Amino acid sequence: MTLAEKVGQMTQAERSAVDGDPELITRLGLGSVLSGGGSGPASNTPQGWADMVDRYQERALATRLRIPLLYGVDSVHGNNNLVGATIFPHNIALGATRDPDLAREIGHITATETRAAGPQWVFAPCLCVTRDERWGRTYESFGETAELVQRMETVIDGLQGTTPQDLAGPDRVLATAKHFAGDGDTTYGTSTVGTLDRGVTITDWEHFEQVDLAPYATAVERHRIGSIMPSFSSVQWTDRPGSAPTRISGSGELLTGVLKEKIGFDGFLISDWEAIHDLPGDYPEQVRTAVNAGMDMVMEPSTAPEFAQTLIAEVEAGRVPTTRIDDAVSRILTAKFRLGLFEHPYTDRTHIDTIGSAAHRAVARRAVARSQVLLKNDHQVLPLDRNRHVYVAGVNADDLGNQAGGWTVTWQGQSGNTAFPGTTIVDGIRQHAAQVTYSADASAPMTGADVGVVVIGETPYAEFFGDVGTHDRTLGLSTADRATIHKVCGTIEVCVVLDVAGRPQVITDELPEIDAFVMSWLPGGEGAGVADPLFGSAPYTGQLPVSWPRTEQQEPVNVGDRDYDPLFPYGHGLTTHDR
């Protein structure tokens, strides 16, 4: 391989840049193309996706060496960019299930629905350990302890299979553990784009190894993860005098010394979206710092030609050794061989008809039911009697977009999004209850209602702050949600509140007027699963994967803290029996 061909394999561009210049793949010999959140073909169908990926593959196979292209997408809760795919609950909900077998099954379905539509590589799962629920990406984590995250890493086996040979199958994809390491454990106020996201993990080595690093060691040693994405965040060591924050994406100590050499990671590293631009110095310095630190492929969505040209110049000037280039390319090519792309570069559409199938959606609904956490149940009001008149209030009871959250068809998600199949929570309640009245704002008369069910929560978001406000994001309830709780619970004798959100919300003041309180997380497309334990078709078995704060000021609060006193402790979850 020539130097240019090697550097091409280390370069990843975004679909939109390739669409604007289809010859870019051939000209640069690109190793990979990705779809960012919400980026897809004009025909957002399984066939449309597969045709698009195959068109790009044709351009890759037109190069001298005919090295196939690797296509990556953010399948973080199902193949969520694809309209019609099964949309599963987000990771925080799966952590509440405490069910590794279910996580594996969901991973396998996600892999099947992704690869049948063309992409062979997913930027999932997130193995972050969330330590402060003010972090806007809390819902991407399985929970606040490394042990819980490690337990749920069976999702990797579902995605990749359990042997290197499995990757070549039409129902498997290359998985990516992200974001190595420490995102979720950053210190409040250290971020340049908000408060916590992309901030600084200020810690000693012992804590970092036990909390932040441990899930990635498990991913490598037990699950043979194929790729890892370093974090935007930084680390600052408290046990090293004079230590300054160091970006993970430029840390040779962590990427090469710890991850590749000590832990033994033999896959390849992919940078996050333009992440090397956050490194110190001018662009050539950023490129050589990242690559010399151990970055194997660089995600440069719209500046792939500039990256390739710069890296070639850095190698020719002797500032990046050819041995580092050879190591990176060998890792990338090994993944492509294991995926069977050299023998079968085009999309195997064997399972394309299973995308969004009834069988797959049934698994999603079961996952929703298993994830529900019953936090309060005074007088055993749950499960509800199917023969009672149920009054349902709250916008989140009937909004697919809100219950699916971010990373659903679009990057940030969208309220009112109906571009994917599914059932809302009130749909599920109607499947169980004999008489249902629904009023989004609780303005409809409540006369004759036996039970009030108020569905509160957040609106969608993907990164940075989260919901409620802009620069003053809080964990508090919206004014509308508080008013609906007071109105319904102050009028109807039995009042149940369901919280549809990506993280705990402060409900301390409202809790006394609520008879039963359920954390429903972000259930995804099958909101009817929320109603199954509500009416006793399934038992409540979920357990909190994070500690529930009494106030915003109590954050960060985590199990094992000194003077630990949350509103609901880690692992809390009442149980019921199905009828």
Side-chain angles (χ1 to χ4, degrees):
M1 297 178 70
T2 66
L3 175 59
E5 287 169 333
K6 293 175 184 178
V7 169
Q9 288 300 301
M10 298 173 65
T11 308
Q12 184 185 63
E14 213 277 334
R15 178 206 62 82
S16 57
V18 172
D19 271 358
D21 182 8
E23 293 300 315
L24 185 68
I25 295 173
T26 309
R27 191 166 63 250
L28 294 182
L30 285 179
S32 178
V33 173
L34 84 147
S35 278
S39 177
S43 174
N44 193 336
T45 64
Q47 188 77 29
W49 274 88
D51 289 347
M52 177 188 71
V53 173
D54 286 352
R55 284 196 305 272
Y56 296 155
Q57 197 66 276
E58 286 179 2
R59 303 315 310 152
L61 298 178
T63 57
R64 182 180 74 93
L65 297 178
R66 295 179 56 82
I67 298 175
L69 192 73
L70 190 57
Y71 201 96
V73 292
D74 289 285
S75 292
V76 299
H77 64 140
N79 187 5
N80 44 259
N81 265 6
L82 169 62
V83 172
T86 306
I87 304 297
F88 291 98
H90 276 287
N91 284 352
I92 194 76
L94 299 187
T97 71
R98 302 298 203 278
D99 190 338
D101 291 336
L102 179 59
R104 184 186 298 108
E105 188 175 9
I106 288 171
H108 192 193
I109 291 172
T110 299
T112 301
E113 294 198 8
T114 300
R115 190 143 188 185
Q120 321 93 353
W121 180 20
V122 300
F123 305 130
C126 183
L127 301 184
C128 45
V129 181
T130 179
R131 305 289 289 177
D132 189 327
E133 278 56 71
R134 292 171 293 186
W135 185 41
R137 304 188 78 153
T138 292
Y139 66 85
E140 294 189 47
S141 171
F142 290 111
E144 71 180 37
T145 68
E147 292 78 11
L148 178 54
V149 174
Q150 290 167 306
R151 182 177 178 183
M152 302 305 290
E153 287 183 37
T154 49
V155 68
I156 298 171
D157 298 336
L159 292 167
Q160 295 191 160
T162 55
T163 70
Q165 293 73 32
D166 290 342
L167 269 177
D171 58 341
R172 303 293 181 181
V173 291
L174 191 74
T176 307
K178 65 182 188 184
H179 305 89
F180 177 88
D183 69 330
D185 196 16
T186 54
T187 299
Y188 189 84
T190 59
S191 170
T192 58
V193 296
T195 53
L196 282 157
D197 198 33
R198 307 186 186 187
V200 183
T201 304
I202 302 174
T203 184
D204 58 56
W205 174 257
E206 182 180 8
H207 172 91
F208 187 80
E209 184 174 39
Q210 292 177 355
V211 174
D212 303 310
L213 194 60
Y216 298 93
T218 299
V220 171
E221 296 164 356
R222 191 180 306 166
H223 302 286
R224 302 174 61 94
I225 190 76
S227 67
I228 293 177
M229 181 181 291
S231 175
F232 275 111
S233 63
S234 304
V235 63
Q236 182 174 5
W237 306 109
T238 58
D239 50 355
R240 298 181 188 178
S243 172
T246 300
R247 293 278 182 184
I248 302 295
S249 292
S251 173
E253 176 189 11
L254 292 176
L255 301 188
T256 296
V258 173
L259 185 54
K260 291 182 175 180
E261 294 176 356
K262 183 178 179 181
I263 296 176
F265 174 58
D266 64 359
F268 69 92
L269 295 176
I270 171 68
S271 67
D272 209 333
W273 185 281
E274 295 183 341
I276 71 166
H277 295 210
D278 289 345
L279 296 174
D282 59 16
Y283 191 61
E285 183 178 355
Q286 292 167 341
V287 169
R288 68 173 173 266
T289 296
V291 174
N292 283 337
M295 200 74 74
D296 300 306
M297 184 182 287
V298 177
M299 187 186 294
E300 291 289 84
S302 57
T303 56
E306 291 83 351
F307 168 76
Q309 181 180 14
T310 301
L311 182 53
I312 289 171
E314 290 297 300
V315 175
E316 290 177 339
R319 290 185 287 269
V320 175
T322 55
T323 53
R324 174 76 272 274
I325 300 298
D326 290 346
D327 173 59
V329 175
S330 67
R331 290 168 178 268
I332 294 164
L333 294 181
T334 296
K336 293 184 177 184
F337 276 113
R338 288 176 176 170
L339 283 161
L341 295 180
F342 283 89
E343 296 81 7
H344 304 287
Y346 294 109
T347 303
D348 185 332
R349 309 185 190 203
T350 300
H351 300 298
I352 200 166
D353 290 339
T354 71
I355 293 174
S357 66
H360 288 179
R361 290 177 61 183
V363 175
R365 181 168 179 166
R366 174 159 50 90
V368 174
R370 291 292 306 274
S371 71
Q372 302 299 292
V373 182
L374 180 58
L375 296 170
K376 179 180 180 180
N377 192 22
D378 284 359
H379 313 297
Q380 303 299 302
V381 298
L382 296 184
L384 297 177
D385 188 330
R386 299 166 186 260
N387 295 315
R388 305 187 78 180
H389 179 185
V390 181
Y391 185 98
V392 182
V395 171
N396 279 8
D398 195 31
D399 194 309
L400 274 177
N402 285 0
Q403 71 187 38
W407 301 107
T408 311
V409 183
T410 63
W411 171 40
Q412 291 286 330
Q414 183 179 349
S415 295
N417 187 353
T418 58
F420 58 98
T423 55
T424 66
I425 294 170
V426 75
D427 289 336
I429 291 174
R430 287 175 176 138
Q431 291 175 16
H432 290 280
Q435 185 176 0
V436 177
T437 298
Y438 173 59
S439 178
D441 60 358
S443 61
M446 302 179 195
T447 307
D450 301 304
V451 178
V453 176
V454 182
V455 187
I456 63 171
E458 297 183 298
T459 55
Y461 53 88
E463 297 180 40
F464 309 123
F465 298 99
D467 191 22
V468 187
T470 303
H471 296 296
D472 57 346
R473 303 285 185 171
T474 74
L475 298 180
L477 304 182
S478 70
T479 300
D481 280 346
R482 288 198 302 270
T484 303
I485 291 173
H486 294 323
K487 186 173 184 179
V488 176
C489 293
T491 305
I492 303 176
E493 183 177 357
V494 176
C495 188
V496 179
V497 173
L498 313 177
D499 194 1
V500 176
R503 55 197 175 168
Q505 296 187 284
V506 176
I507 197 166
T508 307
D509 292 342
E510 290 74 22
L511 198 60
E513 58 185 313
I514 297 169
D515 295 301
F517 180 49
V518 180
M519 186 54 181
S520 295
W521 309 108
L522 297 173
E526 299 307 312
V530 173
D532 291 340
L534 190 66
F535 288 89
S537 291
Y540 280 105
T541 57
Q543 298 174 281
L544 280 181
V546 292
S547 303
W548 197 291
R550 293 181 181 276
T551 64
E552 175 100 10
Q553 293 68 35
Q554 195 177 32
E555 286 290 343
V557 55
N558 296 287
V559 65
D561 288 351
R562 189 175 181 179
D563 302 321
Y564 181 67
D565 185 32
L567 182 65
F568 297 112
Y570 173 84
H572 179 67
L574 305 175
T575 58
T576 59
H577 299 285
D578 49 353
R579 291 189 187 277

